Amino acid sequence: MEDSSAAMTVDARGLVTGWSDGARRLTGHAAEEVVGRPARDLLARGAPTRPLTRTDPAGTALSGTVVVRHRDGRPVGL
């Protein structure tokens, strides 16, 4: 069975620092196209958002789902 996980990591400055192969398959964007860019450039405008949750005791890491733009322009959850 193929792994269908998709993940994007973003640093404190809002820059994409990691992009999984699952994210590439889901969105059509290769890691080389998005790593180093502002994460906000990928967000789908007007898409509903869900609150992110803290994932570490220090409260510095967040986890959740965001809606990004597929390479063809349609919104997808990541």
Side-chain angles (χ1 to χ4, degrees), residues 28-57:
H29 295 287
E32 299 80 31
E33 299 171 32
V34 297
V35 171
R37 289 182 47 195
R40 72 175 175 272
D41 290 354
L42 295 166
L43 298 177
R45 305 236 189 302
T49 59
R50 295 183 185 160
L52 298 178
T53 57
R54 300 276 177 200
T55 60
D56 69 339

Side-chain angles (χ1 to χ4, degrees), residues 9-36:
T9 55
V10 180
D11 69 12
R13 298 170 297 164
L15 299 178
V16 176
T17 58
W19 191 256
S20 72
D21 191 58
R24 179 197 55 78
R25 288 191 309 271
L26 182 67
T27 68
H29 295 287
E32 299 80 31
E33 299 171 32
V34 297
V35 171

